[in-house]
């Protein structure tokens, strides 16, 4: 029964379909009944933002009764002829000959009305929100962005590797991880001690991964160039518009490469994906430029055309100190850059993506390569306007002695990471990589301020519905 | 520093690079020193199965001492001239001018020796096993297969949707799920009751997803055609060569489509991906045909060329009953098809992929569409030789009344799935989809019998290392 043309396909090829018989299947967005016995339906099938206008003559046999039931949200199949439209808002319309109502929607109960709903409300009906213009456009852009990322890395010769989700290690040495267990906490009878794990599925404490990097390093040191693309987790109890408990990351890792190669890869990646979106998601991007972020298209074109501004952390701190900006947190060498600092650098100082490199050693995780100054590591944070950090990466410490020193200094268990140390013992090589947050990227290209709007089913403290 | 050519690229374009200066970076697989003062290195960079032969003249200044250290597993950069090889095993070789040793490997300690290791042993060194021919080839095939799946669905107009990993629901109504929690079981002081969840991250019990299907249905009923590609989890305590606790699934879902459309999509999908692999992963497939599964290439070509054999479950049971095969479990209408039955159908009865459709209602989950006979549901299992079920799918029950009946019959909570019922209230439409197990697919195209060998870091009872 799946014989319909997609509306996106029809609208991209209107001259080919004009005067032709076509079938579309989709959902009624609105219906307008004119006095002249004509009804107009706006039908959307999700393939694109634009609705197809369907024209119905109500006086045709059996049609008058049916038309009454073509309510907002109802699903229909329409057969008819595609013709030029006399209307101003569309170039073509579908003169309906047959119409089939699959699923009627009771207008008195349907939560999506013909008005603007708040994002907060839409989140409570996450099973219906992709039927709105905004969330539908987000879904299509997220799809295209994901595929462009895959295509970029494939064309660059990277192999896609599935690093584990359930892990016994905790990449950053940070505390906020989710536990994975088959023990039922409400049925534990006694003995709240380590012996419990004998009954657990993996016989030891296991967690949801916070990053696939360390395992990606394994594959980079065998296949040369690899990337991950998968979900990652943080059990951080913070209810902000910037944090999710579950989000998606892309983490390339390449052998025989240093921080310069890493920077070059990140730049090619951003430029490739943004170019791809400007070509393939133009209508959806325009929608966001019109209703969400007025300067959106310009800022995307700038990313496509301009190289990153690369400055060291030390230079960045000096620049922030010299600026006259009234920061809430004054910039200080040795402290993390705050969101306000990142935005100043990329939105005011340089007005383009900025890569800050060579951060103080004590600010960054144990696996980053220590620079010759002994004080900084070969790290990079790529900042973009509005969003701030979109990519974080580094050259990895490939020298076993120095890695040991870093691990001891930061209290990392040598036993748990014995295999990671062995990578430095058997055919070690300079290597580097980065993590790109998919949701941050979608925020950047849509202008949406709240990260909960750019993932289908956001997981935040107290929220795991649907 | 990442200026090397990939060996795969050189070998695909030998005529372009002959006589040219090239740089390669990779790992020494073997070294052979001839008496004539020449040493031969086999260098592999992971880009392909084939090593590049590097020819070294030991009498050149400083080289003799270095050559001694070019041990198996060491990482090197070689500069030299690509020339035709007089040897029989390769068409070109690299006459080395400069060689740089990045990471020496102590041959007395390196676990990968120049011999065949058992898969069991290799699993204990999962951080080194991708450096072997077999696991390297698996990784490249898994990569290509994943990308071909993405490309197939993108070309068919499906949108990639990220369904949630952490969920409060359990798609199949089955019991074997992992719990996700921030509660530390060894620190629970008392009160092993439901009040515990007040302190848990999501304030209620949450689990790792067993399928993204139900959420994919949400997006299919908004965007028309979608697919998931992500990890799924089963806490089944079974130590078999067919089960993993963590595995990857691809789940397309499409609106305005029935079981026939589902079958057609599954067939196009299998054929597309197998054709793609035969074109792009030929060398790696040949390796598996040579060392693992002799009839591999023929069985892949058959999939590419032959349509599925489609038979109903009832026909399949009759056929099994009439066969003279000595099954351990006799086939009986109303019972699940056993692995031995599946293999008989696909390997002996039809010798091609077989789609079994219309299973007894009581064997399948609540969401499958009840057929007009009231006894069966519009399900399909696609079976392939050696592996058995590689795809399982169905038309979904789009009629709210019938879905309610199914849920009540199977004891599914109406409250937990209120949103799922609402999809049948607001613009419901016939729809269908399937799940394709990525690991099963990799097993099918490599011939590997144990599922633990086709995923980088297998998770099974008691095992979550690396």
């Amino acid at each position: 029964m799946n014989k319909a043309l997609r509306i996106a396909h029809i609208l991209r090829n209107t001259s080919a379909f004009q005067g032709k018989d076509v079938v579309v299947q989709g959902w009624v967005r609105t219906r307008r009944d004119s006095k002249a016995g004509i009804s107009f339906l706006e039908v959307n099938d999700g393939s694109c933002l634009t609705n197809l206008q369907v024209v119905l003559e109500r006086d045709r046999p059996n049609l008058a009764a049916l038309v009454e039931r073509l309510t907002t949200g109802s699903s229909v199949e329409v057969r008819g002829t595609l013709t030029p439209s006399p209307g101003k808002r569309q170039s073509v319309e579908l003169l309906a000959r047959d119409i089939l109502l699959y699923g009627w929607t009771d207008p008195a109960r349907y939560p999506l009305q013909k008005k603007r709903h708040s994002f907060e409300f839409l989140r409570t009906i996450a099973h219906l929100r992709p039927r709105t213009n905004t969330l539908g456009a987000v879904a299509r852009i997220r799809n295209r962005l994901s595929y462009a990322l895959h295509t970029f890395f494939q064309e660059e010769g990277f192999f896609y590797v599935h690093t584990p989700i359930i892990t016994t290690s905790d990449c950053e040495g940070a505390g906020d991880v989710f536990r994975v267990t088959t023990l039922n906490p409400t049925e534990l009878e006694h003995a709240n001690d380590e012996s419990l794990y004998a009954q657990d599925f993996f016989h030891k404490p296991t967690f949801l991964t916070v990053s696939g990097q360390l395992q990606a390093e394994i594959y980079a040191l065998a296949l040369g160039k690899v990337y991950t693309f998968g979900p990652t987790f943080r059990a951080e109890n913070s209810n902000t518009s910037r944090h999710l408990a579950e989000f998606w990351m892309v983490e390339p890792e390449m052998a025989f490469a240093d921080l310069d190669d890493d920077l070059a890869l990140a730049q090619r990646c951003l430029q490739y994906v943004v170019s791809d979106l400007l070509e393939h998601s133009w209508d959806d991007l325009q929608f966001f430029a019109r209703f969400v972020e007025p300067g959106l298209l310009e800022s995307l074109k700038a990313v496509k055309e301009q190289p990153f501004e690369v400055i060291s952390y030390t230079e960045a701190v000096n620049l922030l100190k010299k600026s006259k900006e009234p920061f809430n947190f004054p910039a200080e060498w040795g402290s993390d850059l705050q969101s306000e600092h990142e935005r100043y650098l990329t939105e005011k100082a340089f007005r383009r993506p900025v890569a800050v490199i060579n951060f103080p050693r004590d600010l960054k995780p144990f696996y980053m390569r220590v620079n010759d100054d002994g004080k900084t590591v070969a790290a990079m944070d790529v900042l973009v306007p509005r969003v701030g950090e979109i990519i974080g990466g580094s050259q990895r410490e490939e020298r076993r002695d120095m890695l040991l020193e870093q691990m001891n200094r930061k209290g990392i268990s040598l036993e748990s990471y014995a295999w990671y140390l062995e990578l430095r013992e058997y055919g070690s090589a300079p290597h580097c990589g980065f993590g790109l947050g998919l949701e941050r990227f979608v925020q950047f290209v849509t202008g949406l301020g709240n990260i909960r709007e750019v993932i289908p089913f956001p997981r935040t403290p107290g929220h795991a519905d649907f």
Side-chain angles (χ1 to χ4, degrees), chain A:
Chain A
M1 66 184 292
N2 194 247
K3 295 284 192 293
L5 289 170
R6 299 281 273 168
I7 291 172
H9 182 64
I10 294 173
L11 297 180
R12 273 196 306 267
N13 303 281
T14 48
S15 55
F17 291 113
Q18 283 221 21
K20 298 271 166 62
D21 233 47
V22 302
V23 183
V24 300
Q25 295 166 321
W27 290 267
V28 175
R29 283 287 175 88
T30 62
R31 189 186 85 228
R32 183 165 55 84
D33 301 323
S34 86
K35 285 175 190 162
I38 305 283
S39 288
F40 299 93
L41 296 181
E42 295 285 326
V43 174
N44 189 288
D45 68 359
S47 64
C48 59
L49 189 71
T50 313
N51 304 323
L52 184 65
Q53 175 159 294
V54 171
V55 184
L56 288 163
E57 295 170 6
R58 286 200 301 278
D59 55 4
R60 295 191 43 209
N62 307 324
L63 212 53
L66 178 60
V67 167
E68 287 303 310
R69 290 173 58 79
L70 300 178
T71 49
T72 296
S74 298
S75 57
V76 293
E77 176 176 305
V78 187
R79 263 163 217 277
T81 309
L82 198 76
T83 59
S85 173
K88 284 179 195 157
R89 300 178 54 192
Q90 61 280 324
S91 65
V92 291
E93 59 192 21
L94 183 59
L95 288 181
R97 196 173 56 252
D98 295 316
I99 192 156
L100 179 63
L101 174 63
Y102 281 116
W104 176 67
T105 297
D106 181 352
R109 292 178 46 85
Y110 194 46
L112 287 175
Q113 299 300 321
K114 197 193 165 181
K115 63 162 192 172
R116 212 157 172 172
H117 297 283
S118 76
F119 286 132
E120 290 71 19
F121 170 70
L122 290 177
R123 251 177 263 142
T124 68
I125 50 165
H127 59 311
L128 301 173
R129 72 175 186 165
R131 302 182 186 188
T132 64
N133 280 338
T134 307
L135 275 292
V138 166
R140 283 184 299 271
I141 285 178
R142 190 177 164 110
N143 162 72
R144 186 72 213 180
L145 200 160
S146 299
Y147 186 60
L149 283 164
H150 274 298
T151 303
F152 170 77
F153 285 110
Q154 293 289 329
E155 289 181 358
E156 291 254 346
F158 285 68
F159 297 107
Y160 180 25
V161 173
H162 294 111
T163 48
I165 310 301
I166 300 173
T167 171
T168 51
S169 79
D170 162 6
C171 179
E172 308 267 346
D176 295 329
V177 291
F178 287 103
R179 290 169 179 275
V180 175
T181 178
T182 47
L183 301 174
N184 185 338
T186 65
E187 288 174 3
L188 295 175
E189 283 186 18
H190 58 91
N192 291 332
D193 60 42
E194 297 294 323
S195 66
L196 272 178
Y197 291 113
Q199 309 148 44
D200 205 355
F201 193 88
F202 295 110
H203 308 170
K204 59 175 82 162
T206 47
F207 309 96
L208 290 179
T209 185
V210 297
S211 161
Q213 175 202 318
L214 302 195
Q215 291 93 350
E217 287 184 55
I218 289 173
Y219 272 74
L221 291 170
L223 303 185
K225 298 181 184 184
V226 301
Y227 69 107
T228 72
F229 190 131
T232 43
F233 305 86
R234 297 277 159 88
E236 208 176 327
N237 203 350
S238 56
N239 258 308
T240 81
S241 62
R242 292 169 53 83
H243 292 91
L244 291 170
E246 173 182 317
F247 53 100
W248 285 66
M249 287 239 285
V250 178
E251 297 180 278
E253 191 73 31
M254 57 180 167
F256 307 106
D258 58 20
L259 192 66
D260 285 342
D261 299 311
D262 215 21
L263 279 164
L265 182 72
Q267 177 160 315
R268 289 200 302 280
C269 177
L270 274 194
Q271 294 189 329
Y272 180 99
V273 172
V274 167
S275 298
D276 180 280
L277 288 176
L278 286 169
E279 186 183 341
H280 292 100
S281 300
W282 182 248
D283 291 350
D284 289 322
L285 291 178
Q286 270 196 311
F287 171 83
F288 288 107
R290 191 166 160 208
F291 293 106
V292 176
E293 178 67 35
L296 184 68
L297 298 172
E298 292 67 30
S299 77
L300 295 182
K301 285 175 189 164
V303 166
K304 180 183 154 188
E305 283 150 20
Q306 295 174 337
F308 292 171
E309 182 74 32
V310 180
I311 60 167
S312 72
Y313 168 88
T314 305
E315 290 165 342
V317 168
N318 289 338
L319 202 148
L320 291 164
K321 281 182 163 173
K322 269 187 268 172
S323 85
K324 302 255 157 59
E325 288 292 308
F327 294 124
N328 291 319
F329 300 88
E332 205 57 61
W333 204 99
S335 299
D336 259 325
L337 295 183
Q338 300 293 319
S339 197
E340 58 184 347
H341 303 149
E342 296 180 347
R343 296 192 61 159
Y344 172 78
L345 292 173
T346 185
E347 291 172 19
K348 294 193 176 168
F350 299 107
R351 295 173 164 273
R352 64 165 74 177
V354 177
V356 183
I357 62 171
N358 298 334
F359 283 76
R361 183 173 175 176
D362 291 331
L363 285 183
K364 293 289 186 181
F366 72 95
Y367 51 71
M368 295 192 176
R369 191 178 198 275
V370 179
N371 286 325
D372 290 346
D373 62 15
K375 284 188 246 164
T376 62
V377 287
M380 65 173 193
D381 280 4
V382 179
L383 317 173
V384 293
R386 288 181 278 110
V387 173
E389 185 189 329
I390 199 169
I391 284 175
S394 72
Q395 186 169 343
R396 318 308 185 187
E397 185 54 79
E398 88 280 14
R399 298 162 296 186
R400 188 168 183 280
D401 290 353
M402 189 56 93
L403 183 62
L404 270 175
E405 186 187 314
Q406 283 276 86
M407 290 173 82
N408 287 325
R409 183 172 168 146
K410 290 176 188 276
I412 306 288
S413 153
L414 303 188
E415 197 193 349
S416 304
Y417 292 92
W419 59 266
Y420 192 70
L421 281 160
E422 283 194 6
L423 293 179
R424 278 69 184 171
E425 187 177 346
Y426 303 129
S428 185
H431 62 289
C432 64
F434 62 75
L436 180 158
L438 188 67
E439 284 73 22
R440 293 273 175 89
F441 207 148
V442 180
Q443 284 190 277
F444 175 58
V445 300
T446 59
L448 287 168
N450 193 323
I451 200 165
R452 295 176 179 88
E453 266 61 87
V454 299
I455 190 165
F457 304 96
R459 268 68 182 113
T460 55
H463 294 283
D465 307 319
F466 301 96

